[in-house]
Amino acid sequence: MASSLRILPRTTSRILTRHLAPSTTQCLRSQRRHATNLQAPDAADPKLRQIDVSALKIQQTSTPKDITPNDQLVFGRAFTDHMMSLEWTATDGWLPPRITPYQNLSLDPATCVLHYAFEAFEGMKAYKDAQGTVRLFRPDKNMARMNKSAARIALPTFDGAAFIDLIKRFCRLEERFIPSTKGYSLYIRPNIIGTQRTLGVGPPGSALLYTIASPVGPYYPTGFKAISLEATTYAVRAWPGGVGASKLGANYAPCIVPQMQAAGRGFHQNLWLFEDLDPETGKKEDFVTEVGTMNLFACVQGKDGVKELVTAPLDGTILEGVVRDSILELARERLVPEGWKVSERRFHMRELAEAASEGRLLEVFGSGTAAVVAPVRSIGYQGSLVGCGLPEGSEVGEITKRMKDWIEGIQYGEEDHPWSVKV
Ligand SMILES: *Cc1c(COP(=O)(O)O)cnc(C)c1O
């Protein structure tokens, strides 16, 4: 791999001119000022985005791996036989795609990704339906998000439709690794890194977009298990104008210590908050953002009796989840006719705690590609526990369960739906 990585010096002078760091008080007061699609000036040059799918070269492995039995699958531990790689240079754009045996990368110690975290990734899955057809779930969403993430850190963008074609080719080649039992799938991890060899801080003149895949089992192999969250009040994951809304590797390492601290106090995950002024009261509140690597939903019955499915808005404090978007769309289509209100709005811990104490907090759940949904039993906040509406002995609420069934029904082709894309 090393010798084939073409590292070019920067050939174009690209200067990031925008200021990214307004003071915290500015952040709090006005979100409007923050560009949501900030990118390097030439990141979207059409010529540099093109991928020639027809130029794909496949080098098959001569040592095929054994298939791991379903009951021994561990998330992200075992990988398929091959990987798919595309190199990019600022002068030539995307070079011909290659599928090769899965292998180590070899990078010069001065490569920019290793120093300044020029890295963005995606997480998506391939599912096998009852007829044995392989399917992707809303892959266009992952492509759009990856392009947004890459552009934000001056990495090159790419033609998403062409890359989906390549992912399909890759899935077909690795088909024997995709388990055929419902709940199982092939986790696909596209990763883009800056490969320029320099300690100078600037836009990388070369990049590598590679994809690996790992067969995975259901998040809850023995049925739902509701989790407990600790609301983190001493650290912040994301803020308006920051990069927490992009799937950048740099966002994940800083989350581990708060996660470990929550675990040390007996919680499964930590819940990220964002302290801000409540425009209605002028008081500071801890707004709920998301949990670990999942978005968060709450089902709250209003004082007027109306049931509301609520999640945080896309204001820079959360990652724009594909499952989050799917839940919102399905809820608008299928729950609103049942009298539900569906809201993307800020909500804070005091609101949740008050609803809980009045018996109006019906359900809380996380959402993401790994688990689809994860029911939440309780949230530890400022020394007390907020109960999230699950009766004792029950591990999942009705809406949480229905959402999982709807989404999995689409992913596994049981419900015919445009979101499910045949490979
Ligand atoms: C990936 C991710 C999610 C979930 O996104 P999906 O597209 O629904 O899988 C949520 N939060 C964070 C921080 C993430 O990295």
Side-chain angles (χ1 to χ4, degrees):
M1 206 81 204
S3 52
S4 64
L5 273 180
R6 279 176 60 182
I7 312 292
L8 292 188
R10 246 166 74 195
T11 50
T12 45
S13 80
R14 300 190 281 181
I15 303 161
L16 285 162
T17 48
R18 302 224 214 169
H19 281 290
L20 305 180
S23 72
T24 319
T25 44
Q26 276 176 318
C27 281
L28 301 183
R29 280 199 213 111
S30 121
Q31 297 153 45
R32 279 280 174 77
R33 310 161 82 121
H34 302 295
T36 49
N37 281 315
L38 198 62
Q39 58 180 49
D42 66 351
D45 178 342
K47 188 183 78 84
L48 293 178
R49 303 185 81 228
Q50 275 165 26
I51 293 175
D52 184 359
V53 179
S54 69
L56 173 68
K57 289 219 162 53
I58 301 178
Q59 183 201 342
Q60 294 243 20
T61 184
S62 53
T63 51
K65 295 175 183 170
D66 291 336
I67 300 292
T68 310
N70 278 356
D71 62 349
Q72 286 166 33
L73 290 173
V74 179
F75 178 83
R77 178 82 50 89
F79 294 91
T80 61
D81 282 337
H82 302 93
M83 63 195 288
M84 183 163 70
S85 311
L86 291 98
E87 287 166 52
W88 180 92
T89 72
T91 35
D92 298 332
W94 293 103
L95 306 183
R98 290 172 302 131
I99 291 177
T100 61
Y102 188 97
Q103 61 191 278
N104 289 349
L105 299 177
S106 174
L107 297 171
D108 186 287
T111 305
C112 66
V113 60
L114 303 176
H115 297 265
Y116 309 125
F118 287 97
E119 188 267 354
F121 66 97
E122 268 307 318
M124 53 200 287
K125 284 175 168 179
Y127 310 83
K128 209 173 256 177
D129 68 21
Q131 285 70 47
T133 306
V134 178
R135 295 164 175 270
L136 300 171
F137 182 71
R138 310 189 75 185
D140 54 319
K141 286 269 171 198
N142 296 95
M143 297 301 109
R145 188 169 67 187
M146 189 165 196
N147 272 315
K148 224 160 116 180
S149 301
R152 180 63 185 81
I153 54 172
L155 286 174
T157 56
F158 53 86
D159 173 351
F163 195 56
I164 293 173
D165 278 348
L166 288 175
I167 289 176
K168 289 179 177 176
R169 300 278 289 269
F170 182 59
C171 286
R172 288 202 282 270
L173 187 69
E174 305 295 49
E175 206 213 299
R176 70 189 186 94
F177 287 93
I178 311 177
S180 45
T181 312
K182 189 176 176 189
Y184 292 78
S185 55
L186 183 68
Y187 183 82
I188 302 169
R189 168 57 62 88
N191 198 18
I192 184 168
I193 60 174
T195 51
Q196 180 147 334
R197 185 182 64 81
T198 176
L199 295 184
V201 181
S206 63
L208 173 68
L209 168 58
Y210 68 91
T211 304
I212 54 178
S214 170
V216 293
Y219 206 75
Y220 298 101
T222 55
F224 279 112
K225 267 275 175 252
I227 57 174
S228 60
L229 307 179
E230 180 184 63
T232 301
T233 49
Y234 58 87
V236 186
R237 193 196 82 90
W239 47 89
V243 292
S246 299
K247 233 172 163 63
L248 307 181
N251 287 333
Y252 294 81
C255 294
I256 303 302
V257 169
Q259 162 61 35
M260 288 167 71
Q261 296 203 3
R265 287 185 279 267
F267 296 91
H268 294 102
Q269 294 263 344
N270 72 311
L271 173 66
W272 292 105
L273 306 174
F274 182 72
E275 188 189 70
D276 204 351
L277 296 180
D278 184 346
E280 272 166 36
T281 62
K283 290 199 184 119
K284 275 190 184 173
E285 296 287 357
D286 283 326
F287 288 90
V288 174
T289 65
E290 61 179 323
V291 40
T293 55
M294 289 186 284
N295 294 118
L296 195 84
F297 285 84
C299 300
V300 186
Q301 187 149 29
K303 293 188 182 183
D304 56 2
V306 175
K307 291 175 181 171
E308 181 186 20
L309 178 70
V310 58
T311 194
L314 302 175
D315 61 359
T317 63
I318 64 163
L319 200 281
E320 198 171 336
V322 177
V323 179
R324 171 188 179 278
D325 185 79
S326 306
I327 287 171
L328 286 170
E329 273 204 47
L330 289 171
R332 288 184 177 121
E333 179 194 299
R334 302 177 188 188
L335 294 181
V336 168
E338 295 178 14
W340 281 77
K341 195 159 98 182
V342 177
S343 310
E344 291 171 74
R345 65 167 175 88
R346 286 186 155 196
F347 62 104
H348 48 64
M349 279 307 301
R350 203 169 47 79
E351 179 184 348
L352 281 193
E354 186 185 298
S357 70
E358 294 170 5
R360 296 184 290 104
L361 183 56
L362 309 174
E363 289 176 44
V364 174
F365 60 94
S367 79
T369 296
V372 187
V373 292
V376 175
R377 178 168 308 281
S378 59
I379 302 172
Y381 176 63
Q382 293 180 337
S384 53
L385 266 193
V386 176
C388 296
L390 274 182
E392 215 175 309
S394 165
E395 297 294 333
V396 61
E398 185 202 327
I399 296 300
T400 311
K401 176 78 170 62
R402 286 171 80 192
M403 279 298 168
K404 180 181 158 93
D405 289 346
W406 284 337
I407 291 176
E408 281 194 341
I410 295 169
Q411 289 171 337
Y412 288 89
E414 290 163 2
E415 179 186 337
D416 203 23
H417 198 286
W419 287 346
S420 182
V421 176
K422 288 187 187 173
V423 161

